[in-house]
Amino acid sequence: EHMQPLEFPKMKFSTIELGRFSMDIIKHKATKPLQEVKDLKLSILLNNVYVMNDYIFLDITFQNQSNLSYDIERIKFSIEDKKIYKATNNQSIELKPVYQLYKPTHFRKNFRNVYVFKKFTFPNSKILKIRLLEEQLSGRTLEMKIKYSDILNADTF
């Protein structure tokens, strides 16, 4: 009666382990992307979504078909409403990656990276939005909307 059961917390990975898993993902050649968005000679490709324990890995490629290099101000991840009606409040929840393989400031043609998030869920009325923002006052911003079903159908490795 004086004994209490010992409960182990859910497994957490160190940054070294997350880096090793991300490098394993990058080693695989990206074949057909799950989703692609193109605009202004820029494109975002969602190569794959992976899940390991309580972590979600997003394998994303950014491409620039113009001769002008792209200076990254920030890559923003948020959960937002699918449809925004005129008379309603819209809610945006920003997500911060727990780990990202590379931290670039600019890229010329192609840039591939892996972003790692703690497990998150959201209803079907919302989407995960990825925004690529440029430093200057340029109109070269690009956004991709990912449905929850794409995350639920994630691969394991």
Side-chain angles (χ1 to χ4, degrees):
E1 71 185 51
H2 297 289
M3 297 175 63
Q4 291 191 4
L6 181 64
E7 293 183 21
F8 292 106
K10 292 186 177 181
M11 184 176 236
K12 292 185 179 182
F13 294 119
S14 68
T15 54
I16 295 170
E17 291 171 316
L18 292 175
R20 193 166 20 96
F21 296 143
S22 298
M23 285 304 292
D24 289 343
I25 291 171
I26 288 283
K27 285 179 188 175
H28 295 338
K29 185 178 179 189
T31 55
K32 185 178 182 231
L34 295 176
Q35 194 171 341
E36 182 176 5
V37 175
K38 290 182 180 183
D39 193 24
L40 301 168
K41 292 197 171 188
L42 290 171
S43 57
I44 300 177
L45 290 84
L46 178 64
N47 299 320
N48 212 336
V49 179
Y50 298 97
V51 172
M52 178 175 264
N53 289 344
D54 280 350
Y55 292 94
I56 298 171
F57 294 78
L58 297 178
D59 180 10
I60 301 172
T61 302
F62 303 100
Q63 294 178 338
N64 181 10
Q65 286 88 21
S66 70
N67 293 328
L68 191 62
S69 69
Y70 194 91
D71 296 324
I72 300 173
E73 178 183 338
R74 145 176 201 202
I75 299 168
K76 184 178 175 184
F77 299 90
S78 61
I79 295 175
E80 299 184 4
D81 294 329
K82 271 187 189 176
K83 295 180 181 177
I84 300 172
Y85 300 102
K86 289 182 182 178
T88 59
N89 293 337
N90 112 356
Q91 186 178 11
S92 176
I93 302 166
E94 188 168 347
L95 297 173
K96 300 264 187 206
V98 177
Y99 179 82
Q100 67 182 39
L101 189 58
Y102 304 115
K103 295 178 178 26
T105 55
H106 70 281
F107 66 97
R108 181 108 176 104
K109 291 294 180 188
N110 286 337
F111 168 61
R112 185 174 173 197
N113 205 356
V114 176
Y115 298 91
V116 183
F117 296 91
K118 287 289 281 179
K119 180 182 82 171
F120 59 88
T121 59
F122 54 94
N124 282 335
S125 63
K126 298 193 180 285
I127 52 165
L128 172 64
K129 194 179 276 190
I130 302 170
R131 283 193 194 98
L132 178 65
L133 305 167
E134 192 170 25
E135 276 185 2
Q136 303 161 13
L137 292 172
S138 102
R140 293 198 313 169
T141 60
L142 199 56
E143 67 181 41
M144 173 183 273
K145 299 175 182 177
I146 300 173
K147 293 183 276 184
Y148 189 51
S149 61
D150 291 338
I151 294 175
L152 288 177
N153 294 328
D155 291 335
T156 58
F157 63 94

